[in-house]
Amino acid sequence: MQLSTFEALAMLSAVLGILILGTTLLRTNLSFYRFHTLAIVALTVWIGHITKEAHLYIVAAAVLLVKVLFIPSFLGWVMKKAEVGSDKQAFIAAPLSMHLGAIMLGVSYLLSSRIPGLEGVHQEGSHLGSTAAMSILFTGVLLMLTRRAALSQILGFLVIENGIYLFAVTQTHGMPMLVEMGLLLEVLVGVMISGLLLFNIKKSFEHIDVSQLTDLKD
Amino acid sequence: MAPPNCILLYGLACLAWTIGVAFTIIADLLKTKLSNRLALALTAGGALSAGMGAIGNYQAGIPVNFTALKHFGLTTLSFTGDNLAIPFILLLTLVALASTLSTRDLIDSTHNKEGHRFQSNHYYRLILLLLLGTLLVLLSANAITFLVFWEVMSVAAASLITSEHVRHRAQRAALAYITASRLATALLTGAFLWMYHQSGTFDFASWQFQSNSTFPAALLILLAVCIKAGIWPAHGYLPQSYAEAPGPAAALISGVIGKTAIYLLLRLLVLGNCQHSWVIYIALALGTISCIWGILFALVERDLKRLLAFSSVENMGLIIIAISLSMLARKEGLPVIAAIAVTGTLFHAFNHGVFKSLLMLAASTIDKKAHTRDLAQLGGLAKRLPWTMLAFFIGSVAICALPPSNGFASKWLIYQAFFRMAIESVPLHDRAISLAMLGILSFVGALSLACYTKAIGIAFLGRPRSKQAQFTPETGLSGSAMALVILSAICVFLGTSAGICLRAITPALAELNGSGIDAANLFPVAVAQLSLFGLITASIIYLCILGPRSTGMKTYITWDCGYGPLSARAEETGSSFSHPIGRIFSQVLQLKVETNITGRDRRHFPEGIKVETRMTPFIETTVYKRFIEMVNFSSLTLTRLQTGSIHVHLLYLFLTMIVLVYLGTVL
């Protein structure tokens, strides 16, 4: 099976996303997230190159700055300060959840068969772009669902956000600059706030296990 | 174009009521009480001006679309004052005036029974809102405007029922009322949206119900009207809410609010020329059942106000029957019968509004004086409340449809329509139904006569059955007595001059059936002559039989049965009066009587006799209770979904997302 560069990059980002599920060591998780986002940045640049949409380069640069460089470093700093190393007692063991992620990749392949994506970027009849996006979405949800540590929740949220971003990029000629930048800013603020919250949770409860925060109901 | 004066008058009425509402709010903010005089003056002034507006509108004689104020969400806020609304607006005016007149006597503005302060600001505000909502419901020209004011009206009525909200029963009643009116609104909204989808407009005037595609809307409208009017099996809330609302408000709610539902049915289905036979037969069946059901329960009821409420169920059933008959006749191409039936409907709705509010005010007067409505506690009120007795008597005569009252006139028309239907050349089953309906109607009429004989006989005649009923007699004509006398005079007037009244509603009828049949010719009975004849007969009976009292004639108190002065405990009670009939229909009423006689020789020398009568209202205990249990169970089950765990909530999100994505790709 012959993959175009675009498809190869999309699949790479999806697989790197699934690899996040494969370990409970938070530091490793963060590095996988870094690589996974890097693949998405590369994909954005590539789409910009094909469609001749110059603003995609700027978007890619911003994503690189915020999501690849800043956010993982920030979260690493938070981890060190809060003294959490790994996400013990996940609901589903890490290897199993990675396999689930792989299965979800197949499911998203089936689901996305009717979403062909951009003309010109994809090969005729190919829908691997939306498959990857959806798979990343599912990966993020799985991450949030199966892990206990608050840091994994933040990471899951970030992965979901990546999935949505990828979906937008592969389906359209890039969203307007302003929207893209706004989203990025929102993610940044969200992560910083939740990082600080995590700090306080750790200080007050001596743990960051969200499964024990059950006062959500009335 | 209507003369501007009637627009001005309607506007003035709304203005007066709105100012009243504003005043009550200001008074609340200032923590004072709005003066009764001012509030009542505003209420009455608004009502008078609305009534005068209706009369002015009547003389204009043409349907007018006089205001399209501004854009109101989906459509304009437009009103129309056509001939169909006029009788209902007049009824509103009449009942509002009567209840205003009696407010000061019936509402204890300082303290109520349990010693809690009665919130008069709250009460006046709601009464004013209720009137405002009702008037604008009657005037609204499109569905959205209608729904908005319909809600204002329903919510105001429900809040009035909770006026004495510390009482548990009032809370329950208000909950039941609001549930019913919510259901009705939901069904109406569905119907209106369907009609909008079909016709592309929200204007009532352009909706037609002939084509098959309008069937769901017609059915939904019928069901909503049935719920609002308290037709079986949705009658359960009526007895509770009528009994708990404060007197004047109860008169308004029972006299006018239910009629707005009838008005809606006339405006949409009759004006829209509904031809769906399913709708017609369902209406006929529901109306028949609620006729019989209502009067049977009224007969065995002990609480005077609840009795009146069940009687309302019966009368509403009758009105629905008449409407469905008119639609049936129209469908069969018999415009004369349709015209007679629709005349009967309109006239009976008006009459019922008058005499039911009269009876309700009388019952409230009794409640106020004796502090009880239980028939087993009352008795001998004829000497203490002579005016109330007179009014209640006239109201009962009217509601039992005895000549020369107005009830007779309108029921006569309905009977006549059925008689004519039975001899027309229509399909056999329609003729059979007509004949059967004649039997059922006369059966119901007889039962209602028994029911009101019981109400008057037990409450007003005999001796007081309790200390509570031995209050000081009323002196002179108080405000509430005046209202009662005026209303009963109107009852007699409407009955004796039925021809004039029918001529007055001819424009409305011409609009309804479109055939231009003169309604005045539909009531050929020479009432005046008949009344004269009855008067002469009565005088002869009195002069020849009752007049010359022989020496051997003695006077007893009513329930002494000729035995001489018995104690009040030996008198006939309401339960014993209605017991024979209750026994015949014990299957329907679920009436159970247990007699327990104790003593060594229990046959000849019983030491203790204990009789217990129990009645379980079938619908309430089975259908409603099951339904409420089901709702409670499902709500409890649903709350279990809300675990509070982040992960479970995420799972829900995840599953929803998968379903949505799947739907998005498949569809």
Side-chain angles (χ1 to χ4, degrees):
Chain A
M1 186 175 167
Q2 202 71 22
L3 285 183
S4 68
T5 319
F6 167 79
E7 287 169 344
L9 278 173
M11 279 296 111
L12 181 67
S13 68
V15 170
L16 282 170
I18 290 170
L19 283 178
I20 303 177
L21 285 170
T23 169
T24 51
L25 275 178
L26 290 174
R27 196 156 293 283
T28 327
N29 277 346
L30 276 184
S31 358
F32 274 129
Y33 173 71
R34 215 186 274 262
F35 293 128
H36 154 76
T37 316
L38 200 61
I40 289 176
V41 169
L43 190 65
T44 313
V45 172
W46 184 248
I47 293 174
H49 170 68
I50 298 175
T51 58
K52 309 276 186 295
E53 300 271 359
H55 77 268
L56 281 180
Y57 296 128
I58 306 172
V59 172
V63 170
L64 183 77
L65 206 68
V66 174
K67 287 204 213 159
V68 180
L69 298 177
F70 178 72
I71 287 180
S73 320
F74 172 73
L75 288 179
W77 175 74
V78 167
M79 264 167 55
K80 207 194 286 173
K81 287 286 264 188
E83 293 164 358
V84 278
S86 73
D87 191 350
K88 284 164 233 148
Q89 302 160 326
F91 288 109
I92 299 176
L96 189 58
S97 64
M98 188 169 73
H99 284 93
L100 265 179
I103 292 171
M104 289 318 289
L105 180 61
V107 170
S108 29
Y109 183 78
L110 293 177
L111 277 177
S112 63
S113 60
R114 298 273 292 274
I115 313 174
L118 270 184
E119 299 248 335
V121 180
H122 292 62
Q123 289 169 351
E124 191 66 32
S126 159
H127 50 88
L128 283 185
S130 40
T131 306
M134 224 176 276
S135 154
I136 291 170
L137 209 68
F138 290 143
T139 307
V141 175
L142 269 177
L143 203 59
M144 289 183 87
L145 268 179
T146 57
R147 302 295 162 87
R148 282 173 193 263
L151 205 88
S152 303
Q153 308 293 324
I154 301 173
L155 209 59
F157 163 72
L158 284 169
V159 173
I160 291 177
E161 206 277 331
N162 268 349
I164 293 167
Y165 167 78
L166 187 63
F167 198 75
V169 164
T170 55
Q171 296 297 311
T172 65
H173 291 270
M175 286 182 280
M177 223 8 210
L178 203 68
V179 178
E180 208 73 84
M181 289 300 158
L183 279 178
L184 212 53
L185 188 72
E186 218 161 295
V187 171
L188 187 65
V189 172
V191 167
M192 290 186 72
I193 289 176
S194 39
L196 294 177
L197 273 181
L198 188 148
F199 237 31
N200 284 335
I201 293 172
K202 176 75 181 174
K203 216 157 67 186
S204 322
F205 301 116
E206 299 289 319
H207 66 80
I208 51 167
D209 185 352
V210 287
S211 66
Q212 293 184 31
L213 307 175
T214 54
D215 281 348
L216 208 59
K217 63 178 168 187
D218 38 48
Chain B
M1 195 60 207
N5 59 354
C6 79
I7 302 171
L8 197 72
L9 286 167
Y10 286 140
L12 210 59
C14 295
L15 190 71
W17 290 335
T18 320
I19 288 177
V21 173
F23 277 176
T24 57
I25 293 171
I26 294 170
D28 262 356
L29 289 178
L30 297 177
K31 296 202 174 17
T32 59
K33 262 172 36 176
L34 187 63
S35 96
N36 284 336
R37 218 172 272 263
L38 181 61
L40 293 176
L42 281 171
T43 320
L48 266 180
S49 136
M52 272 150 65
I55 292 168
N57 201 359
Y58 172 74
Q59 282 162 347
I62 44 165
V64 284
N65 193 351
F66 57 74
T67 33
L69 288 180
K70 60 176 182 188
H71 211 258
F72 189 55
L74 295 164
T75 174
T76 50
L77 181 66
S78 62
F79 298 104
T80 173
D82 60 0
N83 286 318
L84 177 57
I86 290 170
F88 291 93
I89 295 175
L90 285 177
L91 176 66
L92 174 72
T93 305
L94 206 60
V95 179
L97 285 179
S99 74
T100 313
L101 201 56
S102 55
T103 298
R104 294 193 68 174
D105 285 330
L106 296 185
I107 296 290
D108 189 353
S109 54
T110 50
H111 289 90
N112 63 5
K113 261 181 258 175
E114 277 78 18
H116 295 276
R117 269 185 84 80
F118 185 83
Q119 294 170 314
S120 63
N121 283 346
H122 182 69
Y123 172 77
Y124 286 127
R125 177 160 58 234
L126 290 172
I127 282 280
L128 291 164
L129 273 179
L130 182 72
L131 291 173
L132 190 67
T134 314
L135 177 66
L136 293 179
V137 155
L138 294 174
L139 287 175
S140 39
N142 65 42
I144 303 293
T145 317
F146 179 88
L147 273 183
V148 169
F149 293 110
W150 174 267
E151 277 299 278
V152 170
M153 182 182 83
S154 305
V155 171
S159 318
L160 271 174
I161 292 165
T162 52
S163 285
E164 297 184 20
H165 57 88
V166 280
R167 274 158 64 181
H168 192 63
R169 275 163 67 185
Q171 294 167 11
R172 279 183 59 119
L175 204 62
Y177 188 88
I178 205 129
T179 312
S181 58
R182 304 267 63 202
L183 259 176
T185 310
L187 294 175
L188 274 186
T189 312
F192 289 170
L193 286 178
W194 184 274
M195 283 314 288
Y196 178 69
H197 177 69
Q198 292 293 323
S199 65
T201 170
F202 277 119
D203 276 346
F204 281 155
S206 47
W207 284 0
Q208 288 293 318
F209 289 85
Q210 280 115 330
S211 64
N212 276 334
S213 56
T214 55
F215 172 70
L219 191 62
L220 285 179
I221 289 171
L222 174 71
L223 292 181
V225 164
C226 284
I227 291 175
K228 191 70 185 174
I231 296 297
W232 184 91
H235 63 281
Y237 74 97
L238 277 196
Q240 300 182 27
S241 50
Y242 286 10
E244 290 307 321
L252 266 174
I253 294 174
S254 63
V256 185
I257 307 298
K259 305 300 172 299
T260 56
I262 300 298
Y263 164 79
L264 180 70
L265 203 59
L266 285 174
R267 163 148 313 252
L268 291 180
L269 294 193
V270 178
L271 271 186
N273 201 4
C274 173
Q275 304 269 2
H276 307 296
S277 44
W278 271 106
V279 172
I280 293 169
Y281 288 125
I282 287 175
L284 202 58
L286 288 181
T288 313
I289 296 175
S290 65
C291 250
I292 301 171
W293 197 275
I295 199 62
L296 278 179
F297 276 84
L299 192 61
V300 294
E301 186 57 59
R302 285 175 58 172
D303 185 315
L304 199 54
K305 275 192 177 179
R306 285 175 63 92
L307 182 146
L308 293 177
F310 274 120
S311 155
S312 267
V313 173
E314 179 239 319
N315 275 286
M316 285 299 176
L318 189 70
I319 293 172
I320 296 275
I321 289 174
I323 292 183
S324 59
L325 175 67
S326 95
M327 291 195 285
L328 186 66
R330 189 117 175 233
K331 183 166 158 282
E332 301 288 353
L334 301 165
V336 179
I337 296 177
I340 298 174
V342 92
T343 314
T345 308
L346 202 58
F347 201 27
H348 197 65
F350 189 87
N351 291 340
H352 182 248
V354 176
F355 52 64
K356 187 42 67 69
S357 48
L358 158 65
L359 291 170
M360 206 47 115
L361 284 176
S364 305
T365 310
I366 294 170
D367 187 15
K368 183 79 202 331
K369 294 275 184 190
H371 299 294
T372 178
R373 301 184 301 256
D374 189 349
L375 284 176
Q377 310 273 317
L378 296 171
L381 296 182
K383 295 199 183 75
R384 292 182 171 76
L385 299 170
W387 289 108
T388 313
M389 157 86 180
L390 178 71
F392 199 93
F393 178 72
I394 292 175
S396 304
V397 165
I399 206 166
C400 295
L402 297 177
S405 66
N406 54 350
F408 168 71
S410 48
K411 246 184 175 172
W412 164 268
L413 287 171
I414 297 171
Y415 271 102
Q416 210 178 27
F418 274 115
F419 271 123
R420 291 205 186 183
M421 191 74 176
I423 54 168
E424 279 295 339
S425 55
V426 288
L428 188 63
H429 61 268
D430 285 343
R431 295 168 68 178
I433 287 174
S434 301
L435 279 177
M437 287 312 301
L438 281 170
I440 289 169
L441 286 187
S442 31
F443 167 70
V444 169
L447 283 185
S448 76
L449 191 58
C451 169
Y452 282 95
T453 310
K454 167 190 148 183
I456 293 185
I458 301 299
F460 289 100
L461 303 181
R463 289 192 183 81
R465 291 182 178 73
S466 67
K467 278 256 163 61
Q468 285 172 302
Q470 295 170 336
F471 50 87
T472 38
E474 68 180 352
T475 49
L477 206 57
S478 61
S480 67
M482 204 129 74
L484 290 174
V485 170
I486 291 171
L487 281 178
S488 37
I490 290 170
C491 275
V492 175
F493 170 76
L494 286 175
T496 47
S497 53
I500 300 171
C501 303
L502 287 175
R503 199 164 298 127
I505 58 171
T506 303
L509 296 170
E511 203 165 305
L512 275 172
N513 52 42
S515 55
I517 290 170
D518 187 10
N521 297 330
L522 296 177
F523 196 71
V525 173
V527 184
Q529 284 91 321
L530 262 188
S531 310
L532 195 66
F533 178 71
L535 203 67
I536 291 168
T537 317
S539 326
I540 289 170
I541 291 172
Y542 184 78
L543 288 174
C544 300
I545 301 168
L546 299 175
R549 299 193 171 185
S550 62
T551 44
M553 192 177 261
K554 288 179 186 171
T555 319
Y556 293 102
I557 292 177
T558 309
W559 299 111
D560 284 352
C561 306
Y563 282 120
L566 296 176
S567 91
R569 292 193 58 195
E571 285 177 348
E572 183 108 338
T573 62
S575 313
S576 52
F577 186 92
S578 58
H579 192 243
I581 300 173
R583 196 128 171 194
I584 297 172
F585 297 101
S586 58
Q587 290 301 314
V588 180
L589 298 166
Q590 303 278 312
L591 189 73
K592 288 203 177 64
V593 183
E594 277 174 22
T595 314
N596 193 8
I597 305 173
T598 49
R600 247 176 307 157
D601 183 5
R602 43 189 294 266
R603 194 175 158 81
H604 299 106
F605 302 103
E607 283 165 14
I609 303 177
K610 191 181 166 203
V611 181
E612 198 179 337
T613 323
R614 244 182 307 136
M615 196 187 71
T616 37
F618 173 70
I619 292 285
E620 277 86 340
T621 48
T622 52
V623 181
Y624 290 169
K625 208 172 157 210
R626 291 278 156 72
F627 180 69
I628 292 167
E629 276 168 6
M630 211 171 69
V631 169
N632 281 343
F633 175 74
S634 54
S635 332
L636 282 177
T637 321
L638 279 176
T639 46
R640 233 175 282 156
L641 281 176
Q642 194 192 18
T643 54
S645 155
I646 294 169
H647 291 101
V648 177
H649 285 257
L650 277 172
L651 186 68
Y652 297 148
L653 219 72
F654 182 54
L655 293 176
T656 317
M657 197 174 74
I658 289 190
V659 169
L660 284 179
V661 169
Y662 178 72
L663 285 178
T665 51
V666 166
L667 299 178

